[in-house]
Amino acid sequence: MTKNTLLYAVLVAATVAAPFLFPSYTAFLATLWLFIIVALTWDMTGGQMGYNSLGNIFFYGTGMYTGAVIAIGLYFPVGEWTDASRSEVFSVTASQYYTGMIIGIPGAGLFCGLCAFIIGPLFFGLRGPYFAIGTLGLAIAAGEIVSNIEWLGGGQGISMPHSPLHPDFEKVLIYFLYAGLGVVLFGFLRWFYSTRFGAAINAIRDDEEKAEAMGIHTLRYKTITWAISAVFVGMAGAISAFQLIHFEPLETAYQTINLGIFMVVCVLLGGKGTLWGPVIGAVLFHVFKEVTWNYILGGQWVALGLLIVIIVVFFQDGLMGYLKHVRPGWFGIKVDTKGATS
Amino acid sequence: MSAIIDVSGVSKSFGGVKANTDISMTVEEGGITGLIGPNGSGKTTLFNSIVGYHPVDGGSIRFEGQEISKMLVPEIARLGLLRTFQQTRIYGEMNCVENMLISLPHRKLSIWDAFRRNTSEDRERAEHLLDFVGLFEKRWLQASSLSFGQQKLLEFAMALMNEPTVLLLDEPTAGINPTLINGLIDRLRRANTEFSITLFIIEHNMRVIMNMADTIYCLAHGQMLASGKPEEIQDDQRVIDAYLGAH
Amino acid sequence: MDQILFNIGLLIEYPMVNLKIVIDGVMIGALFALAAYGLALVWGVMNVKNLAQGDFVIAGGYTSWFLVKTGWLQSIGISSNIVALIGVPVAFGVMAAIGWVIYKLIITRVIERDLFTSLLATFGLAIMMAQIMNLLFGSDTQSLKLDYETLYFADGLIDVPIAKLIGVCMAAGLALAVILFMKNSRMGQAIRATSQDSRAARVMGIDTEKVYAFTFSLNAAICGAAGAIIVMVWLIQPFYGITYSVRAFVVVTAAGLGNLPGVIAAGLGIGAAEQYGGHIFGIGYQQAIAVTLLLIVLFFRLLQQRRKRQALN
Ligand SMILES: Nc1ncnc2c1ncn2[C@@H]1O[C@H](COP(=O)(O)OP(=O)(O)OP(=O)(O)O)[C@@H](O)[C@H]1O
Ligand SMILES: [Mg+2]
């Protein structure tokens, strides 16, 4: 067994054991996995491809709504379910609940992937700041529009079917859904970045004009990468819908300045464009946030803004970037010591 | 031989500057065509028009019979019409081998091929071509740490890796150590014969271009001044005047 | 759907409604143009895309609102209507100072960095400012309900509050003052020189660092004054900032940098377009319309660029 496989085996074992060893931290760990998932997916376009999106939360919110609509719509008319003034009480059986989950979560992922696939060609003509602002606009617009659609519960949002499980078990189930998705995502990315596809998106990041001039299918690769990341974010969103029981459009689903910006901060903190950076960043950020949040009650959002500014201004390369700088050898970077001659 | 690139009546101006006026020319399939002219005569502009970097004001450009003057850069590149840059462009953060591997002809890869890792043949080819241009020793170095001349060689090798039909080279010998130029001429020739790539070369070094090209075009002040075999160009009084009395 | 058709029908049946919508739109649009002008100024001079632009506007609004609500000036016998007008230059001054501090603390460190850095840094700043205002002033919407008269035209179909008229005149006056300043003052010339070529400006002996600080501070001041005008008639709320930022981006994207007549036209046009959207789809869609306009403008520009074989960057 190599050192690497051993490391991964230990990590997977720890992931499986964690909710049983620390039952009171299950919710905390579930959210940590959510952070890892959104950070890793953000890095696919932001770090590896050089397209800094401020609106990936669009897929999270859309995943939430899609998951909810599928889980409810399989058995009940959605419009009546979300009608705030309804008197009728819908009761959901255990098998209906689980079927909704099993179809709803992947369904949300597929739908979000499809969305990215359709809007990708529009958005990827925008470069640099225009892409960032355009995607931010997308997320804000989606939240505002959804909160006006009565069929989706309008500004009140949607209440999910009640889980047949005891809340403690439900927590563990949600934890394993997130953790499973996170592990699959990590494994997928480890492979994905080692393929020609991964190299191509790195080329787009380093010099898109050159990549175009070399005949790389830039638009195709960009769109597919975004769509893949959307699939995972959408599934994470759907899991969140089941976890939250009730959610509403602006503060929970399309939470632009909340999770929408957390994912960027996590990646910057850990190090853009690396496999482990987003994971490490998510852990650091989440722990930091949980530890300090209660002490600065009321001011925590101000502190968040401040934290973003500080990270961006002073520590943008993140932990991995710092290591790359002081220990280039670890990353296989060689520099000509004899000096360049031609 | 037939014309693989056919430019007819192409004009391009930037604001008031007429960089190209009514240019017509052809590049013969399988040959080496040269493009010369004093600084600022519009050579790079013509290259840029052909590969789609900007819209042309008028005229038509055909590649293998297909009109390409309205197509976008990546679309044209995927037809197998490739160019290198006068100010080299390489991926500075990657090492030479990675630069080569990323230059695989993606237009020939299906989406499923793209989801594979590079094969050992790909690596061998990359190293072979690096050897071909004389960069084998430097293959693990970060590309940005290479000198300008080495970067030119790397960009040339990357272009070869891409297996183009036609390769447009913008001053391939600029910045290359004079003692290495003969070697480079030899490699350009071999690229033309062994890899059967049609070459279209902008060059300031007269000795180089007279040595290699079958046909030479000469631009001056954005206009086509003369064209013909190297010997004809060499003796053409207009060309000599353009160079001596440049600006 | 029926509602939408009905609303459109209304526009055709009563042409005067169109006029009312356009007048309303142009009046608020004048203020969008001001914020957009500031954005374009900073963008052009130091290549920083400021996502906190809207929060400067809102902060200016709260400055004036606070001045009126504390009642200091009223206690020496000045009426609230006048205090609100005094609030405009006060907001201008206060925001100039805040802008300068922000420049020295944050912006100066991100100028030379890549574009996403400045965008994200100012996004962090925007979150911070919105939250501070939320802590200080609460999350209710605020407006100064001044007791100016309202003028009625066309049998009362068109109503123009005099406060709005005063606001628009002040906006125009401010714009004029800024234009004259940029044309004639030494600092204005230095700013224009720096925006054309900062390296050359430095060689010519212009202290670009000072120019940057001044430009950013001027931008914050312009936004602040615009906010103080907005609070006289329209609503402000701590979290409205982002929509004003988005509107400023829409205007600049539509008009392009360094195109002052374009910025004014686009500002007024966006104002009118939003009013039409609000009328047709209902008031609940107002924020959505502002953002959707951004996407429409972006894609329209993209289409233009594609014809030039270029991407939008
Ligand atoms: N993007 C551009 N914008 C404005 N003017 C340009 C642009 N590109 C080229 N020009 C102008 O067009 C003219 C021709 O330039 P071009 O680069 O084609 O010359 P060249 O023949 O390649 O010169 P050199 O031998 O120095 O490389 C020059 O006057 C140049 O200033
Ligand atoms: Mg040139």
Side-chain angles (χ1 to χ4, degrees):
Chain A
M1 223 199 262
T2 68
K3 227 167 70 182
N4 251 340
T5 23
L6 191 69
L7 174 70
Y8 285 119
V10 169
L11 283 176
V12 170
T15 301
V16 174
F20 304 108
L21 295 177
F22 311 103
S24 51
Y25 286 96
T26 311
F28 168 85
L29 291 170
T31 311
L32 175 60
W33 274 107
L34 172 64
F35 277 34
I36 291 176
I37 293 166
V38 292
L40 277 171
T41 50
W42 188 85
D43 194 52
M44 288 173 72
T45 51
Q48 301 279 351
M49 204 167 78
Y51 273 79
N52 299 297
S53 157
L54 286 177
N56 272 13
I57 197 72
F58 168 76
F59 299 116
Y60 178 80
T62 307
M64 265 183 149
Y65 273 97
T66 316
V69 166
I70 292 176
I72 296 163
L74 277 176
Y75 302 102
F76 309 99
V78 177
E80 280 171 41
W81 176 287
T82 54
D83 188 353
S85 60
R86 78 184 140 122
S87 48
E88 195 181 348
V89 180
F90 297 104
S91 62
V92 181
T93 66
S95 86
Q96 285 176 337
Y97 180 82
Y98 291 121
T99 316
M101 210 174 219
I102 290 166
I103 298 178
I105 294 171
L110 285 181
F111 182 76
C112 288
L114 195 68
C115 285
F117 210 79
I118 293 167
I119 62 177
L122 280 177
F123 278 85
F124 284 120
L126 308 173
R127 304 276 157 89
Y130 290 104
F131 181 77
I133 294 163
T135 48
L136 177 64
L138 172 72
I140 298 177
E144 293 289 345
I145 289 172
V146 166
S147 63
N148 276 292
I149 298 177
E150 286 310 319
W151 189 71
L152 291 173
Q156 301 299 315
I158 296 183
S159 290
M160 293 296 285
H162 285 294
S163 167
L165 279 175
H166 182 275
D168 284 347
F169 292 118
E170 175 72 13
K171 260 189 209 156
V172 175
L173 172 66
I174 294 289
Y175 169 85
F176 277 108
L177 286 173
Y178 278 133
L181 187 64
V183 169
V184 169
L185 173 62
F186 187 89
F188 168 78
L189 290 180
R190 218 177 107 81
W191 166 80
F192 180 68
Y193 292 150
S194 75
T195 63
R196 293 165 176 162
F197 204 117
I201 61 172
N202 287 163
I204 291 170
R205 170 191 64 196
D206 289 356
D207 187 345
E208 182 160 3
E209 252 188 50
K210 175 71 180 171
E212 284 185 339
M214 295 298 279
I216 293 179
H217 305 82
T218 44
L219 180 60
R220 182 195 289 178
Y221 290 161
K222 288 187 287 189
T223 307
I224 291 177
T225 308
W226 209 30
I228 295 173
S229 84
V231 168
F232 283 97
V233 184
M235 286 170 67
I239 299 172
S240 299
F242 284 101
Q243 178 191 22
L244 290 175
I245 300 166
H246 178 92
F247 63 91
E248 51 87 64
L250 293 174
E251 304 281 313
T252 5
Y254 297 96
Q255 40 174 317
T256 326
I257 61 157
N258 203 318
L259 190 63
I261 196 73
F262 288 170
M263 55 176 106
V264 188
V265 176
C266 289
V267 173
L268 292 185
L269 203 55
K272 262 175 136 177
T274 57
L275 184 57
W276 277 102
V279 180
I280 295 168
V283 174
L284 287 178
F285 180 75
H286 188 45
V287 171
F288 172 82
K289 182 170 151 292
E290 289 298 313
V291 171
T292 57
W293 229 226
N294 293 330
Y295 293 104
I296 43 178
L297 203 69
Q300 71 267 64
W301 291 104
V302 181
L304 171 75
L306 189 65
L307 184 70
I308 294 173
V309 173
I310 290 173
I311 291 175
V312 171
V313 173
F314 295 105
F315 201 60
Q316 202 192 104
D317 293 335
L319 197 61
M320 298 300 265
Y322 173 75
L323 287 176
K324 220 176 218 169
H325 184 67
V326 295
R327 292 265 184 285
W330 290 5
F331 296 84
I333 296 171
K334 292 199 182 70
V335 187
D336 195 353
T337 42
K338 284 171 288 183
T341 46
S342 69
Chain B
M1 285 207 290
S2 62
I4 191 160
I5 298 179
D6 185 353
V7 176
S8 73
V10 165
S11 300
K12 174 72 195 172
S13 55
F14 299 102
V17 182
K18 287 189 174 146
N20 282 162
T21 317
D22 196 21
I23 303 286
S24 297
M25 58 154 303
T26 57
V27 174
E28 297 296 324
E29 183 164 7
I32 299 181
T33 306
L35 181 62
I36 61 170
N39 289 119
S41 56
K43 305 181 296 294
T44 303
T45 304
L46 181 59
F47 264 29
N48 284 339
S49 299
I50 294 174
V51 299
Y53 267 79
H54 46 225
V56 294
D57 300 339
S60 105
I61 303 170
R62 288 171 173 278
F63 175 67
E64 294 178 327
Q66 183 183 359
E67 179 67 41
I68 58 169
S69 62
K70 295 264 177 330
M71 290 168 65
L72 302 177
V73 170
E75 293 167 356
I76 294 172
R78 285 201 290 272
L79 297 175
L81 176 57
L82 224 64
R83 67 91 60 93
T84 64
F85 292 83
Q86 185 170 1
Q87 309 297 329
T88 59
R89 275 185 113 135
I90 44 154
Y91 305 108
E93 300 284 300
M94 306 183 186
N95 66 37
C96 295
V97 173
E98 286 168 334
N99 265 283
M100 294 299 288
L101 290 171
I102 194 65
S103 307
L104 278 171
H106 273 252
R107 66 176 183 283
K108 296 181 183 167
L109 298 180
S110 74
I111 188 70
W112 306 118
D113 288 334
F115 274 113
R116 296 228 172 79
R117 293 183 190 179
N118 292 306
T119 61
S120 51
E121 289 95 81
D122 295 338
R123 284 171 196 287
E124 271 163 32
R125 229 176 89 72
E127 300 203 347
H128 170 74
L129 285 172
L130 283 171
D131 192 32
F132 179 78
V133 299
L135 284 176
F136 189 73
E137 298 295 312
K138 311 264 178 193
R139 66 191 183 284
W140 299 119
L141 293 185
Q142 222 177 323
S144 59
S145 70
L146 299 178
S147 73
F148 180 70
Q150 290 171 330
Q151 293 187 6
K152 280 231 113 128
L153 292 173
L154 175 61
E155 199 184 18
F156 176 48
M158 287 161 70
L160 294 180
M161 188 80 179
N162 202 281
E163 301 169 10
T165 322
V166 178
L167 181 54
L168 276 56
L169 294 157
D170 200 341
E171 301 191 16
T173 66
I176 305 284
N177 183 336
T179 58
L180 296 179
I181 286 191
N182 283 337
L184 185 59
I185 295 179
D186 176 50
R187 286 179 195 123
L188 286 167
R189 274 226 188 84
R190 282 172 59 197
N192 179 238
T193 51
E194 284 174 30
F195 305 128
S196 51
I197 299 171
T198 305
L199 295 180
F200 182 24
I201 305 176
I202 294 179
E203 190 50 73
H204 275 301
N205 188 326
M206 285 299 159
R207 186 174 65 81
V208 171
I209 199 73
M210 293 297 164
N211 236 308
M212 267 192 316
D214 329 307
T215 314
I216 294 180
Y217 289 88
C218 178
L219 284 178
H221 300 295
Q223 283 166 332
M224 190 58 78
L225 189 65
S227 66
K229 303 232 170 302
E231 313 81 61
E232 296 164 17
I233 291 292
Q234 215 156 8
D235 300 330
D236 194 313
Q237 192 56 41
R238 290 171 301 173
V239 176
I240 297 166
D241 287 346
Y243 268 90
L244 294 180
H247 315 301
Chain C
M1 202 59 216
D2 290 345
Q3 188 61 39
I4 292 173
L5 287 179
F6 174 78
N7 289 338
I8 294 174
L10 216 59
L11 291 177
I12 299 163
E13 211 168 321
Y14 302 96
M16 272 302 164
V17 178
N18 288 288
L19 192 60
K20 176 186 156 51
I21 291 173
V22 170
I23 290 175
D24 272 351
V26 163
M27 287 202 269
I28 185 75
L31 296 153
F32 298 167
L34 270 185
Y37 176 73
L39 180 74
L41 190 66
V42 169
W43 190 330
V45 171
M46 56 186 101
N47 203 9
V48 168
K49 288 139 190 78
N50 181 22
L51 262 178
Q53 198 73 356
D55 298 274
F56 289 171
V57 173
I58 303 297
Y62 273 112
T63 309
S64 176
W65 177 82
F66 183 75
L67 188 71
V68 174
K69 288 296 155 187
T70 48
W72 293 331
L73 291 175
Q74 284 91 328
S75 67
I76 55 168
I78 305 174
S79 82
S80 287
N81 282 354
I82 304 296
V83 178
L85 299 186
I86 297 173
V88 177
V90 170
F92 186 92
V94 169
M95 287 313 294
I98 292 179
W100 192 83
V101 172
I102 288 174
Y103 176 83
K104 286 292 170 194
L105 287 179
I106 302 171
I107 307 298
T108 183
R109 293 170 219 276
V110 297
I111 284 184
E112 301 292 327
R113 312 266 288 272
D114 67 300
L115 292 174
F116 189 60
T117 305
S118 61
L119 203 63
L120 204 56
T122 53
F123 195 39
L125 177 66
I127 294 176
M128 212 159 76
M129 286 182 69
Q131 296 294 343
I132 290 174
M133 287 188 279
N134 188 26
L135 289 183
L136 291 179
F137 307 113
S139 62
D140 296 335
T141 53
Q142 304 288 359
S143 179
L144 295 172
K145 296 193 182 54
L146 304 177
D147 45 6
Y148 282 108
E149 312 234 336
T150 301
L151 305 175
Y152 292 95
F153 302 97
D155 303 332
L157 260 178
I158 300 176
D159 55 323
V160 181
I162 290 186
K164 269 192 191 178
L165 271 186
I166 295 175
V168 172
C169 291
M170 289 180 93
L174 178 61
L176 201 66
V178 172
I179 292 167
L180 288 177
F181 172 80
M182 294 297 279
K183 270 231 165 73
N184 299 324
S185 71
R186 285 186 72 91
M187 193 44 147
Q189 283 162 356
I191 291 176
R192 285 188 301 151
T194 309
S195 78
Q196 268 164 27
D197 186 341
S198 61
R199 209 142 39 105
R202 230 166 287 151
V203 174
M204 303 271 288
I206 293 174
D207 181 354
T208 49
E209 179 64 17
K210 210 165 107 189
V211 168
Y212 289 156
F214 185 87
T215 308
F216 198 81
S217 161
L218 177 65
N219 165 44
I222 294 173
C223 289
I229 296 172
I230 287 171
V231 78
M232 285 173 16
V233 233
W234 291 279
L235 297 175
I236 60 168
Q237 199 253 359
F239 300 107
Y240 279 2
I242 188 75
T243 5
Y244 279 96
S245 299
V246 165
R247 285 166 178 142
F249 273 96
V250 178
V251 172
V252 175
T253 313
L257 292 179
N259 172 6
L260 189 57
V263 165
I264 294 172
L268 303 184
I270 298 294
E274 257 183 50
Q275 292 295 320
Y276 266 106
H279 173 82
I280 293 172
F281 296 105
I283 204 73
Y285 279 99
Q286 199 156 31
Q287 307 263 334
I289 289 163
V291 186
T292 311
L293 277 173
L294 169 74
L295 297 177
I296 292 172
V297 168
L298 279 178
F299 295 132
F300 183 75
R301 289 267 293 134
L302 188 63
L303 217 67
Q304 271 186 331
Q305 287 293 93
R306 228 190 114 85
R307 270 193 227 113
K308 291 194 227 152
R309 295 171 151 190
Q310 302 289 321
L312 190 56
N313 58 5

